[in-house]
Amino acid sequence: MSNQKSEEVVAYRINVNGIVQGVGYRPFVYRIATELGLNGFVLNSGNGVIIEVEGKLDDCLKFIERLRTEKPPRAIVKNLVYERIPLKGYGEFKVEKTVNGEVETLCPPDVAVCQDCLNELFNQVDRRYLYPFINCINCGPRFTILEKLPYDRVNTSMKSFEMCGECVREYSDPLDRRFKAEPNACRSCGPSVKLYGRDGLLRVSNPISEAARLINEGFIVAVKGYGGFHLACDATNRDVVLELRRRKKRGNKPFAIMVKNIEEAESIVELSDSEKKWLLHYSAPIILAKKRVPNPVVEEVAPGMKYLGVFLPYTPIHHILMRGVKPSAIVLTSGNVSEEPIIFRDEEAFEKLGNIADYILTYNRRIVNFADDSVGFVQDDSLRLVRRSRGFVPEPVEVELNIDGVLAMGADLNNTFAIAKRGRVFLSQYMGDLENIFIRRRYVETVKSLKRLLNLDYKTIAYDLHPGYYSSQIGLSLKGNKIPIQHHYAHILSAMAENKILNQDVLGIAFDGTGYGDDGNLWGSEFIVVRNGEYFRRGHLKYVPMPGGEKAIVEPVRMAFSYLYDAMGEDALKIDIGIGDRIKTFLKKMIEKGINVPRTCGLGRLFDAVSALLGVCLKRTFEGEPAIMLEMVASDGIEESYPFSIVGGREYIVDTAPIILSIIEDLKKNVPASKISTRFHETIVRLTVELAETIRLEEEVKNIVLSGGVFQNRIISSRIKRAMEERGLRVFCNNLIPTNDGGISLGQAVATGFKTGG
Ligand code: ZN
Ligand code: ZN
Ligand code: FE
């Protein structure tokens, strides 16, 4: 039925915010507007996408409705507002240039090459057949090529490549998939790949196929990806995997593998639907999935592990490379010397990777921002990142507090830092461990460069309470208002922010290795209540000495002795823990004299001690190894728990001595390590649930928040979560923000919002 009102011609102005730049938002708007016969324009501004449309009222309303319900695949609309405006009489619909002003819009993360581009890449008649830099508005590098916002070609490392006529045509046509695809390129105008051997450039017609052939022959090849170099070798060849470990100076820390496709992945690891979904996701993270037994990948890739880190090709170079690779999987690990930062500049690759790789496959487009691969595992159908970097950075976390102008330094292990602006917290890419001098340098550089790049400024600096942390020292050296934040409080806040429950009262359980406590001891088994942003400590494990401080982390057998001595005194000397009597006496004296013996209640240290007692890991070669290996020997079955006792009132203390004594009893009875580990895990679950139940009843809270590195342990996190949910509690964990210290910067930033009343 014709309605007179709907024939009326009106005009609207619409403002869309979120991830709407570099994701094909303007062409999408153009298509809808032209389909509905509307005139006007769309443009990127300092404040998101601005649209004006004119036409029949009905069509304008349909247009707004479609903007609400439809979007290009990777756009994220956070906010859409519109208002009626006077008619201006536009004659057509146009895509206008970006207008300057304060840049508020966000930079998208790097995106794995899309299916449309892959179809062209492997289509012999396509003009980009096998062109390794194919991309479109829906895929390609983003953050890693960005020099500054807004995300336009002139602000990326693509600016040195002038588009050919054909590429310009695609780039300027609003109906083309490459309209405003900033890295748009082809063989005649874009970047190209080169392969180098020890004697220089190899003159081969197809460097990528040649690199694949070299991998098949057992060589180690460095390959430049989106965010840095990788080292690649045949994952089914024991000799080359061992050689890579030797050259990279890498202990037992697992390598990730790249497989050709999801079918190949399924032949190596078991995959649930969510795991498959994340492997195929455009962020293309490494997924830690359960190994199949047997599988073609040699054990030396991830020695003793139940899980393998697997990922799929995400750049066109990877896709072309994997086509030529014969084995079902290749090792693809960060291009660096162990513990050093990932290498992303060509000069450095030639200097430092020259000794590790036999060949280097690189290309002439500069990586502006490095980014390691992101790593995660799937639990209860949700992704839990243990490293948040490529594919996720620099997407901000939106928080309910008005935090503005804050730089949060993070912690020293698995460092990320963060900058907050108007309620958005931008976490940096993964930095690594700030113990390493090269990572320290890169950290200082990156704090400066991210601030510039994303146009973020700060007046307030949040840092970890630990006076010995490098990140704290750097924070203190910067100009601004400085606020120290307790480590475990930051862990809990990170999970609260991620789950958007900052305005609720919670019982937070922070389990990790060590973090500096308010009493000067090393904490790490904290039961803290957070109420109106204030926290107070209601429980923790008993303190034990850490003989030699940091040395006790590298040599878990020291923690084993310390726990034994705590539980049985002098008798501890009689227990065989794989070290000589002289060392035991030395440790005993150290503890008695209290020289260089900090006190710790970190649950991670108890895991270390048990791991060493069982002979599972006496000396660690990578962070968390003793605890991880203890989890690996545990079985899936349920065993009875060991006894423990909880004492105290205002502050509850869990006495661990009964646990240690029972483990010694089991060892004397030759109970296998796998059974003891399973019982130990069950014990931690029980004592956590029991103590949490007591505290939450006293404090009248219903929300439980779990955070800290120990919650990367799948047995601990899933069983605690389930047991508490069965009691009718709401349980929150970290998901896309790491539960390890990679999430600390978010918690620190959030804490300033409470402290300054923001
Ligand atoms: Zn594409
Ligand atoms: Zn071109
Ligand atoms: Fe921590």
Side-chain angles (χ1 to χ4, degrees):
M1 211 172 73
S2 98
N3 176 330
Q4 212 193 339
K5 190 119 198 267
S6 67
E7 296 296 310
E8 185 193 349
V9 173
V10 297
Y12 279 93
R13 185 181 173 94
I14 304 151
N15 184 338
V16 186
N17 269 291
I19 299 197
V20 286
Q21 270 194 335
V23 291
Y25 202 78
R26 284 173 300 166
F28 155 80
V29 169
Y30 177 88
R31 260 194 307 277
I32 301 181
T34 46
E35 274 171 38
L36 291 167
L38 300 174
N39 294 334
F41 67 84
V42 54
L43 60 78
N44 273 336
S45 80
N47 189 25
V49 168
I50 292 170
I51 308 160
E52 285 191 19
V53 282
E54 283 183 12
K56 288 182 197 153
L57 176 66
D58 258 11
D59 295 329
C60 286
L61 293 178
K62 265 186 216 153
F63 177 78
I64 293 168
E65 187 51 30
R66 286 186 68 182
L67 289 188
R68 285 188 183 286
T69 52
E70 297 171 31
K71 64 175 189 67
R74 287 180 313 88
I76 297 176
V77 175
K78 300 248 156 115
N79 194 23
L80 184 154
V81 291
Y82 61 92
E83 57 176 334
R84 201 78 180 248
I85 53 166
L87 288 173
K88 291 183 189 157
Y90 294 111
E92 58 181 330
F93 194 89
K94 275 203 208 156
V95 177
E96 303 275 11
K97 274 216 163 91
T98 299
V99 293
N100 282 321
E102 204 214 340
V103 184
E104 177 66 24
T105 34
L106 310 171
C107 165
D110 297 275
V111 183
V113 58
C114 75
Q115 194 55 50
D116 288 336
C117 285
L118 281 179
N119 294 344
E120 292 167 352
L121 182 65
F122 293 118
N123 175 359
Q124 294 194 21
V125 297
D126 193 276
R127 77 183 190 95
R128 290 192 180 85
Y129 178 58
L130 297 184
Y131 179 61
F133 300 92
I134 188 169
N135 68 84
C136 74
I137 197 66
N138 296 317
C139 74
R142 298 286 187 269
F143 170 67
T144 53
I145 58 168
L146 183 71
E147 289 170 343
K148 62 175 184 186
L149 285 172
Y151 174 67
D152 283 332
R153 190 178 178 103
V154 287
N155 292 335
T156 71
S157 56
M158 280 304 292
K159 68 183 172 199
S160 49
F161 299 94
E162 200 185 324
M163 276 187 275
C164 68
E166 186 61 2
C167 286
V168 168
R169 195 197 55 71
E170 296 165 335
Y171 183 86
S172 327
D173 176 2
L175 293 176
D176 195 282
R177 207 174 85 244
R178 299 201 162 84
F179 175 68
K180 305 278 190 238
E182 305 302 349
N184 189 30
C186 75
R187 203 179 297 277
S188 58
C189 66
S192 57
V193 168
K194 287 193 166 58
L195 180 65
Y196 293 84
R198 301 217 180 229
D199 305 318
L201 182 67
L202 298 188
R203 301 199 179 275
V204 287
S205 60
N206 191 336
I208 305 178
S209 311
E210 180 63 12
R213 197 186 64 76
L214 291 163
I215 291 171
N216 294 339
E217 293 208 340
F219 290 103
I220 297 169
V221 183
V223 180
K224 188 169 166 182
Y226 276 167
F229 282 84
H230 282 113
L231 291 160
C233 74
D234 180 351
T236 64
N237 176 338
R238 177 166 290 114
D239 293 342
V240 72
V241 171
L242 286 173
E243 180 64 14
L244 177 59
R245 281 202 181 277
R246 195 184 62 74
R247 292 191 199 167
K248 217 177 125 92
K249 300 191 177 72
R250 177 119 148 180
N252 300 324
K253 192 174 177 187
F255 287 135
I257 56 166
M258 183 174 271
V259 293
K260 288 175 198 183
N261 51 45
I262 204 85
E263 291 77 25
E264 289 280 359
E266 276 202 285
S267 72
I268 297 170
V269 289
E270 294 171 17
L271 293 174
S272 68
D273 287 347
S274 338
E275 285 170 326
K276 280 185 221 168
K277 187 193 94 184
W278 278 108
L279 281 173
L280 293 164
H281 192 256
Y282 56 75
S283 56
I286 293 172
I287 296 293
L288 300 162
K290 198 152 191 207
K291 279 182 187 172
R292 281 191 193 280
V293 189
N295 78 67
V297 172
V298 296
E299 180 62 16
E300 285 75 2
V301 167
M305 299 294 291
K306 283 183 184 164
Y307 303 101
L308 258 178
V310 182
F311 60 148
L312 296 178
Y314 57 88
T315 71
I317 293 181
H318 295 148
H319 279 278
I320 301 170
L321 183 76
M322 291 311 285
R323 277 196 132 195
V325 160
K326 286 216 179 79
S328 49
I330 60 170
V331 166
L332 202 65
T333 181
S334 301
N336 57 3
V337 177
S338 204
E339 310 302 324
E340 290 188 12
I342 186 170
I343 288 166
F344 67 103
R345 296 184 182 103
D346 280 42
E347 317 81 72
E348 220 185 336
F350 286 107
E351 189 193 311
K352 285 195 163 177
L353 292 180
N355 302 319
I356 304 178
D358 301 302
Y359 296 91
I360 296 179
L361 183 69
T362 184
Y363 56 80
N364 57 343
R365 180 177 68 207
R366 197 162 46 85
I367 295 174
V368 180
N369 304 297
F370 70 95
D372 286 82
D373 295 312
S374 293
V375 185
F377 62 94
V378 171
Q379 190 165 27
D380 300 329
D381 284 338
S382 310
L383 180 65
R384 304 194 60 201
L385 287 178
V386 299
R387 185 199 286 167
R388 180 183 184 272
S389 215
R390 181 202 34 86
F392 294 91
V393 172
E395 215 171 288
V397 180
E398 313 251 346
V399 298
E400 305 122 286
L401 299 171
N402 183 26
I403 311 166
D404 195 33
V406 179
L407 169 65
M409 308 307 295
D412 271 17
L413 292 181
N414 291 309
N415 178 276
T416 67
F417 61 90
I419 305 180
K421 181 175 183 174
R422 292 188 201 158
R424 285 179 176 150
V425 185
F426 296 81
L427 270 72
S428 74
Q429 65 271 55
Y430 165 84
M431 294 286 134
D433 296 345
L434 298 179
E435 282 157 11
N436 180 281
I437 177 80
F438 298 102
I439 293 190
R440 288 182 173 192
R441 272 184 211 156
R442 186 171 285 184
Y443 172 73
V444 173
E445 272 168 32
T446 314
V447 168
K448 279 188 210 140
S449 70
L450 201 70
K451 170 180 180 288
R452 202 178 331 114
L453 171 86
L454 298 178
N455 228 353
L456 301 165
D457 216 343
Y458 57 83
K459 308 175 292 292
T460 304
I461 293 151
Y463 61 98
D464 195 286
L465 196 60
H466 200 311
Y469 272 178
Y470 181 76
S471 53
S472 305
Q473 288 159 18
I474 294 298
L476 286 167
S477 74
L478 299 172
K479 256 196 216 133
N481 173 28
K482 283 148 203 143
I483 308 183
I485 310 292
Q486 202 281 322
H487 189 91
H488 302 99
Y489 173 52
H491 269 307
I492 298 303
L493 289 181
S494 78
M496 288 174 72
E498 197 185 353
N499 289 287
K500 304 208 180 299
I501 53 164
L502 284 171
N503 49 12
Q504 301 192 30
D505 297 346
V506 310
L507 168 59
I509 302 174
F511 284 166
D512 70 358
T514 42
Y516 198 78
D518 292 328
D519 59 1
N521 291 320
L522 295 170
W523 292 8
S525 53
E526 307 318 303
F527 290 72
I528 59 176
V529 172
V530 181
R531 182 169 281 142
N532 303 323
E534 302 256 4
Y535 73 97
F536 41 103
R537 192 184 192 208
R538 288 293 325 266
H540 58 90
L541 297 184
K542 177 188 198 175
Y543 283 123
V544 297
M546 229 172 120
E550 291 289 305
K551 244 191 143 174
I553 301 177
V554 187
E555 294 174 19
V557 76
R558 288 174 177 246
M559 286 316 300
F561 183 80
S562 177
Y563 269 101
L564 279 177
Y565 189 69
D566 172 75
M568 53 176 65
E570 292 285 323
D571 287 351
L573 294 165
K574 294 181 206 150
I575 308 283
D576 179 20
I577 49 169
I579 50 172
D581 289 343
R582 272 204 7 238
I583 301 176
K584 281 192 245 181
T585 311
F586 166 72
L587 292 175
K588 189 191 99 156
K589 280 197 183 133
M590 227 173 156
I591 293 170
E592 282 169 353
K593 286 189 184 147
I595 303 163
N596 193 16
V597 188
R599 298 200 308 154
T600 179
C601 66
L603 179 57
R605 299 286 84 83
L606 177 60
F607 267 84
D608 287 358
V610 174
S611 188
L613 279 179
L614 303 191
V616 169
C617 181
L618 297 175
K619 208 174 164 97
R620 71 157 208 186
T621 67
F622 63 93
E623 197 233 323
E625 183 180 12
I628 291 168
M629 298 329 282
L630 189 63
E631 180 190 353
M632 292 306 129
V633 301
S635 71
D636 293 335
I638 306 269
E639 292 283 349
E640 57 186 311
S641 137
Y642 289 121
F644 55 86
S645 69
I646 299 175
V647 294
R650 202 49 228 153
E651 199 168 279
Y652 289 105
I653 311 289
V654 181
D655 186 4
T656 46
I659 305 174
I660 299 296
L661 294 173
S662 310
I663 290 175
I664 295 302
E665 284 308 305
D666 268 359
L667 280 171
K668 280 183 186 154
K669 284 186 255 167
N670 288 321
V671 175
S674 93
K675 187 163 178 166
I676 299 178
S677 173
T678 314
R679 292 189 72 179
F680 173 70
H681 277 82
E682 186 58 26
T683 309
I684 299 304
V685 173
R686 294 270 180 90
L687 73 84
T688 305
V689 174
E690 192 176 313
L691 184 50
E693 188 70 15
T694 308
I695 298 172
R696 73 105 185 164
L697 286 172
E698 288 176 6
E699 298 285 346
E700 294 177 1
V701 293
K702 276 207 153 68
N703 300 313
I704 307 288
V705 176
L706 309 176
S707 189
V710 169
F711 287 107
Q712 290 171 131
N713 181 312
R714 299 194 204 191
I715 301 173
I716 296 289
S717 54
S718 69
R719 287 199 191 158
I720 289 180
K721 185 163 183 270
R722 205 183 320 136
M724 290 184 170
E725 282 171 348
E726 280 165 10
R727 283 167 169 76
L729 301 171
R730 295 170 66 199
V731 184
F732 301 92
C733 302
N734 289 104
N735 286 298
L736 296 184
I737 300 302
T739 197
N740 59 42
D741 286 1
I744 285 288
S745 60
L746 172 61
Q748 290 172 342
V750 169
T752 65
F754 285 123
K755 299 222 171 183
T756 56

